[in-house]
Amino acid sequence: IFSKQARFSTNECDFILLDTPGHVDFSAEAERVLSLLDYAILVISGADGVQNHTRTLWNLLEFYKVPTFIFVNKSDIAIKTKDEQEAEIASVLSPSCIAFYDTQKKEELDEKLALIHESFLEAHLCGEEIDEADIATLISDRKLFPVLFGSALRMQGVDFLLETLDKYTLSPIYEGKSFGARVYKIA
């Protein structure tokens, strides 16, 4: 019922994960953490789809301007296909929610990205590959929200989620007095 901290490292990054309760009754605990985040992973149940509480968290993430990755958990028991889930998420949360698959070819991803951003469309039409740094910048600017699928219980899709975070997150750059700290919890 309380947010917990965990640390882990990947090839390129060191992460501090602030895990918050997902239940609506503990949303104050989740909201307390949002202003501290560089990025968020919004977990959506593949079995339940986008719930009202998911929309509330989405609006809070937008309010705090937190770049967000979406992980659709329990995809192995979902009734809807991944395409149907992606369409629902894009329609309810943002048209910039795009599925990233571990088996996806770069050309397929580039084609999807070309539909949401003008400069990507230009590059795609010229036959150029879209640069991963540009993708990371769009995510950081909240203009692109990668949607990933898996099952945390079965450890499916988790490695790809970590690889995607590793590849598309940017370390914050603090200039002058913009760096600070906030005590959000004492235990």
Short mmCIF file of all heavy atoms in Angstrom, two decimals, residues 91-125:
data_model
loop_
_atom_site.label_atom_id
_atom_site.label_comp_id
_atom_site.label_asym_id
_atom_site.label_seq_id
_atom_site.Cartn_x
_atom_site.Cartn_y
_atom_site.Cartn_z
N SER A 91 -6.88 5.20 -28.47
CA SER A 91 -8.13 5.95 -28.54
C SER A 91 -8.48 6.59 -27.21
O SER A 91 -8.98 7.70 -27.16
CB SER A 91 -9.24 5.03 -29.05
OG SER A 91 -10.24 4.82 -28.14
N VAL A 92 -8.18 5.92 -26.11
CA VAL A 92 -8.56 6.44 -24.79
C VAL A 92 -7.50 7.38 -24.22
O VAL A 92 -7.83 8.42 -23.65
CB VAL A 92 -8.83 5.27 -23.80
CG1 VAL A 92 -9.09 5.79 -22.40
CG2 VAL A 92 -9.99 4.43 -24.28
N LEU A 93 -6.21 7.03 -24.37
CA LEU A 93 -5.16 7.84 -23.74
C LEU A 93 -4.54 8.85 -24.70
O LEU A 93 -4.52 10.04 -24.41
CB LEU A 93 -4.07 6.92 -23.16
CG LEU A 93 -4.53 5.93 -22.09
CD1 LEU A 93 -3.36 5.11 -21.58
CD2 LEU A 93 -5.25 6.64 -20.95
N SER A 94 -4.00 8.39 -25.83
CA SER A 94 -3.37 9.30 -26.78
C SER A 94 -3.12 8.57 -28.10
O SER A 94 -2.68 7.42 -28.08
CB SER A 94 -2.04 9.81 -26.24
OG SER A 94 -1.30 10.47 -27.24
N PRO A 95 -3.34 9.23 -29.23
CA PRO A 95 -3.00 8.62 -30.51
C PRO A 95 -1.50 8.37 -30.68
O PRO A 95 -1.07 7.64 -31.56
CB PRO A 95 -3.49 9.62 -31.56
CG PRO A 95 -4.24 10.67 -30.84
CD PRO A 95 -3.97 10.52 -29.38
N SER A 96 -0.70 8.95 -29.81
CA SER A 96 0.76 8.78 -29.86
C SER A 96 1.23 7.55 -29.09
O SER A 96 2.42 7.38 -28.88
CB SER A 96 1.46 10.03 -29.32
OG SER A 96 1.15 11.14 -30.13
N CYS A 97 0.30 6.71 -28.66
CA CYS A 97 0.63 5.43 -28.02
C CYS A 97 0.86 4.41 -29.13
O CYS A 97 -0.09 4.05 -29.84
CB CYS A 97 -0.47 4.98 -27.08
SG CYS A 97 -0.72 6.05 -25.65
N ILE A 98 2.08 3.96 -29.29
CA ILE A 98 2.46 3.07 -30.38
C ILE A 98 3.08 1.80 -29.81
O ILE A 98 3.96 1.87 -28.97
CB ILE A 98 3.50 3.76 -31.31
CG1 ILE A 98 2.95 5.07 -31.86
CG2 ILE A 98 3.95 2.83 -32.41
CD1 ILE A 98 1.80 4.93 -32.81
N ALA A 99 2.62 0.66 -30.31
CA ALA A 99 3.15 -0.63 -29.84
C ALA A 99 4.57 -0.84 -30.35
O ALA A 99 4.86 -0.62 -31.53
CB ALA A 99 2.26 -1.77 -30.29
N PHE A 100 5.44 -1.25 -29.45
CA PHE A 100 6.80 -1.66 -29.76
C PHE A 100 6.86 -3.16 -29.46
O PHE A 100 6.50 -3.57 -28.36
CB PHE A 100 7.81 -0.95 -28.86
CG PHE A 100 8.12 0.48 -29.22
CD1 PHE A 100 7.14 1.39 -29.56
CD2 PHE A 100 9.43 0.93 -29.18
CE1 PHE A 100 7.44 2.71 -29.86
CE2 PHE A 100 9.75 2.25 -29.48
CZ PHE A 100 8.75 3.14 -29.83
N TYR A 101 7.27 -3.96 -30.43
CA TYR A 101 7.34 -5.41 -30.25
C TYR A 101 8.79 -5.87 -30.32
O TYR A 101 9.58 -5.34 -31.11
CB TYR A 101 6.54 -6.14 -31.33
CG TYR A 101 5.06 -5.85 -31.31
CD1 TYR A 101 4.48 -5.04 -32.28
CD2 TYR A 101 4.25 -6.38 -30.32
CE1 TYR A 101 3.12 -4.77 -32.28
CE2 TYR A 101 2.89 -6.12 -30.30
CZ TYR A 101 2.32 -5.31 -31.28
OH TYR A 101 0.99 -5.05 -31.26
N ASP A 102 9.12 -6.89 -29.55
CA ASP A 102 10.49 -7.41 -29.59
C ASP A 102 10.79 -8.11 -30.91
O ASP A 102 11.94 -8.20 -31.32
CB ASP A 102 10.78 -8.32 -28.40
CG ASP A 102 9.82 -9.49 -28.29
OD1 ASP A 102 8.77 -9.48 -28.95
OD2 ASP A 102 10.12 -10.41 -27.50
N THR A 103 9.76 -8.58 -31.61
CA THR A 103 9.96 -9.26 -32.90
C THR A 103 9.78 -8.32 -34.08
O THR A 103 9.90 -8.73 -35.23
CB THR A 103 8.97 -10.42 -33.04
OG1 THR A 103 7.64 -9.90 -32.92
CG2 THR A 103 9.21 -11.48 -31.97
N GLN A 104 9.52 -7.06 -33.79
CA GLN A 104 9.22 -6.08 -34.83
C GLN A 104 10.49 -5.66 -35.58
O GLN A 104 11.53 -5.40 -34.97
CB GLN A 104 8.59 -4.87 -34.13
CG GLN A 104 8.02 -3.80 -35.00
CD GLN A 104 7.30 -2.77 -34.11
OE1 GLN A 104 7.77 -2.44 -33.02
NE2 GLN A 104 6.18 -2.30 -34.58
N LYS A 105 10.37 -5.61 -36.89
CA LYS A 105 11.49 -5.10 -37.69
C LYS A 105 11.51 -3.59 -37.59
O LYS A 105 10.48 -2.94 -37.41
CB LYS A 105 11.32 -5.53 -39.15
CG LYS A 105 11.43 -7.03 -39.35
CD LYS A 105 11.25 -7.39 -40.79
CE LYS A 105 11.35 -8.91 -40.95
NZ LYS A 105 10.97 -9.35 -42.28
N LYS A 106 12.70 -3.01 -37.70
CA LYS A 106 12.86 -1.56 -37.59
C LYS A 106 12.01 -0.82 -38.61
O LYS A 106 11.42 0.22 -38.32
CB LYS A 106 14.34 -1.19 -37.72
CG LYS A 106 14.64 0.28 -37.54
CD LYS A 106 14.49 0.72 -36.10
CE LYS A 106 15.08 2.08 -35.85
NZ LYS A 106 14.26 3.19 -36.16
N GLU A 107 11.88 -1.38 -39.81
CA GLU A 107 11.08 -0.73 -40.86
C GLU A 107 9.61 -0.64 -40.46
O GLU A 107 8.94 0.35 -40.76
CB GLU A 107 11.18 -1.49 -42.20
CG GLU A 107 12.57 -1.68 -42.73
CD GLU A 107 13.27 -2.92 -42.18
OE1 GLU A 107 12.68 -4.02 -42.13
OE2 GLU A 107 14.42 -2.77 -41.75
N GLU A 108 9.11 -1.68 -39.79
CA GLU A 108 7.71 -1.68 -39.34
C GLU A 108 7.48 -0.60 -38.29
O GLU A 108 6.47 0.11 -38.33
CB GLU A 108 7.33 -3.05 -38.77
CG GLU A 108 7.31 -4.16 -39.79
CD GLU A 108 7.16 -5.54 -39.15
OE1 GLU A 108 6.98 -5.63 -37.91
OE2 GLU A 108 7.22 -6.53 -39.89
N LEU A 109 8.41 -0.48 -37.35
CA LEU A 109 8.30 0.56 -36.33
C LEU A 109 8.40 1.94 -36.97
O LEU A 109 7.61 2.83 -36.66
CB LEU A 109 9.39 0.39 -35.26
CG LEU A 109 9.41 1.43 -34.15
CD1 LEU A 109 8.10 1.44 -33.37
CD2 LEU A 109 10.58 1.19 -33.22
N ASP A 110 9.34 2.11 -37.89
CA ASP A 110 9.50 3.41 -38.56
C ASP A 110 8.23 3.81 -39.29
O ASP A 110 7.83 4.98 -39.29
CB ASP A 110 10.67 3.36 -39.55
CG ASP A 110 12.03 3.36 -38.87
OD1 ASP A 110 12.07 3.46 -37.62
OD2 ASP A 110 13.04 3.26 -39.57
N GLU A 111 7.56 2.84 -39.90
CA GLU A 111 6.31 3.12 -40.62
C GLU A 111 5.23 3.63 -39.65
O GLU A 111 4.53 4.59 -39.95
CB GLU A 111 5.83 1.85 -41.33
CG GLU A 111 4.69 2.08 -42.28
CD GLU A 111 4.37 0.82 -43.06
OE1 GLU A 111 5.30 0.16 -43.56
OE2 GLU A 111 3.17 0.50 -43.16
N LYS A 112 5.13 2.99 -38.49
CA LYS A 112 4.16 3.44 -37.48
C LYS A 112 4.51 4.83 -36.96
O LYS A 112 3.64 5.68 -36.77
CB LYS A 112 4.11 2.46 -36.31
CG LYS A 112 3.41 1.18 -36.59
CD LYS A 112 3.55 0.28 -35.37
CE LYS A 112 2.23 -0.29 -34.99
NZ LYS A 112 2.32 -1.15 -33.80
N LEU A 113 5.80 5.07 -36.72
CA LEU A 113 6.23 6.36 -36.20
C LEU A 113 6.02 7.47 -37.22
O LEU A 113 5.74 8.61 -36.84
CB LEU A 113 7.71 6.29 -35.78
CG LEU A 113 8.02 5.36 -34.61
CD1 LEU A 113 9.53 5.26 -34.40
CD2 LEU A 113 7.33 5.81 -33.34
N ALA A 114 6.13 7.14 -38.49
CA ALA A 114 5.93 8.13 -39.55
C ALA A 114 4.51 8.68 -39.53
O ALA A 114 4.27 9.81 -39.94
CB ALA A 114 6.24 7.52 -40.91
N LEU A 115 3.58 7.90 -39.01
CA LEU A 115 2.18 8.33 -38.96
C LEU A 115 1.90 9.33 -37.84
O LEU A 115 0.88 9.99 -37.85
CB LEU A 115 1.26 7.12 -38.81
CG LEU A 115 1.29 6.13 -39.97
CD1 LEU A 115 0.44 4.91 -39.64
CD2 LEU A 115 0.81 6.79 -41.25
N ILE A 116 2.82 9.43 -36.85
CA ILE A 116 2.53 10.32 -35.72
C ILE A 116 3.40 11.57 -35.67
O ILE A 116 3.11 12.47 -34.89
CB ILE A 116 2.64 9.58 -34.36
CG1 ILE A 116 4.06 9.14 -34.08
CG2 ILE A 116 1.66 8.45 -34.26
CD1 ILE A 116 4.33 8.91 -32.63
N HIS A 117 4.46 11.61 -36.47
CA HIS A 117 5.32 12.79 -36.40
C HIS A 117 5.81 13.16 -37.79
O HIS A 117 6.32 12.33 -38.53
CB HIS A 117 6.51 12.53 -35.46
CG HIS A 117 7.15 13.78 -34.99
ND1 HIS A 117 8.15 14.41 -35.69
CD2 HIS A 117 6.93 14.54 -33.90
CE1 HIS A 117 8.52 15.49 -35.05
NE2 HIS A 117 7.80 15.60 -33.96
N GLU A 118 5.69 14.44 -38.12
CA GLU A 118 5.99 14.93 -39.47
C GLU A 118 7.43 14.68 -39.91
O GLU A 118 7.69 14.26 -41.03
CB GLU A 118 5.67 16.43 -39.53
CG GLU A 118 5.67 16.97 -40.93
CD GLU A 118 5.22 18.41 -40.96
OE1 GLU A 118 4.15 18.72 -40.40
OE2 GLU A 118 5.95 19.22 -41.56
N SER A 119 8.39 14.94 -39.03
CA SER A 119 9.79 14.73 -39.43
C SER A 119 10.09 13.26 -39.67
O SER A 119 10.91 12.91 -40.52
CB SER A 119 10.75 15.31 -38.39
OG SER A 119 10.69 14.57 -37.20
N PHE A 120 9.41 12.38 -38.94
CA PHE A 120 9.58 10.95 -39.16
C PHE A 120 8.97 10.55 -40.50
O PHE A 120 9.51 9.70 -41.20
CB PHE A 120 8.93 10.14 -38.05
CG PHE A 120 9.67 10.16 -36.74
CD1 PHE A 120 9.12 9.59 -35.61
CD2 PHE A 120 10.92 10.75 -36.62
CE1 PHE A 120 9.80 9.59 -34.40
CE2 PHE A 120 11.61 10.77 -35.42
CZ PHE A 120 11.04 10.19 -34.31
N LEU A 121 7.86 11.18 -40.86
CA LEU A 121 7.23 10.89 -42.14
C LEU A 121 8.16 11.27 -43.28
O LEU A 121 8.34 10.50 -44.23
CB LEU A 121 5.91 11.65 -42.27
CG LEU A 121 5.16 11.51 -43.59
CD1 LEU A 121 4.79 10.04 -43.85
CD2 LEU A 121 3.92 12.38 -43.61
N GLU A 122 8.79 12.43 -43.16
CA GLU A 122 9.74 12.87 -44.17
C GLU A 122 10.89 11.88 -44.35
O GLU A 122 11.24 11.49 -45.46
CB GLU A 122 10.32 14.23 -43.75
CG GLU A 122 10.23 15.30 -44.81
CD GLU A 122 10.72 16.61 -44.24
OE1 GLU A 122 11.95 16.85 -44.27
OE2 GLU A 122 9.87 17.39 -43.79
N ALA A 123 11.47 11.46 -43.23
CA ALA A 123 12.58 10.51 -43.27
C ALA A 123 12.13 9.18 -43.86
O ALA A 123 12.83 8.59 -44.69
CB ALA A 123 13.15 10.30 -41.87
N HIS A 124 10.97 8.74 -43.46
CA HIS A 124 10.45 7.45 -43.94
C HIS A 124 10.19 7.48 -45.45
O HIS A 124 10.52 6.54 -46.17
CB HIS A 124 9.18 7.08 -43.18
CG HIS A 124 8.63 5.75 -43.54
ND1 HIS A 124 9.28 4.57 -43.25
CD2 HIS A 124 7.50 5.39 -44.19
CE1 HIS A 124 8.58 3.55 -43.70
NE2 HIS A 124 7.49 4.03 -44.27
N LEU A 125 9.62 8.58 -45.92
CA LEU A 125 9.32 8.71 -47.35
C LEU A 125 10.61 8.79 -48.18
O LEU A 125 10.62 8.40 -49.34
CB LEU A 125 8.44 9.93 -47.61
CG LEU A 125 7.01 9.82 -47.09
CD1 LEU A 125 6.26 11.13 -47.29
CD2 LEU A 125 6.26 8.66 -47.74
#
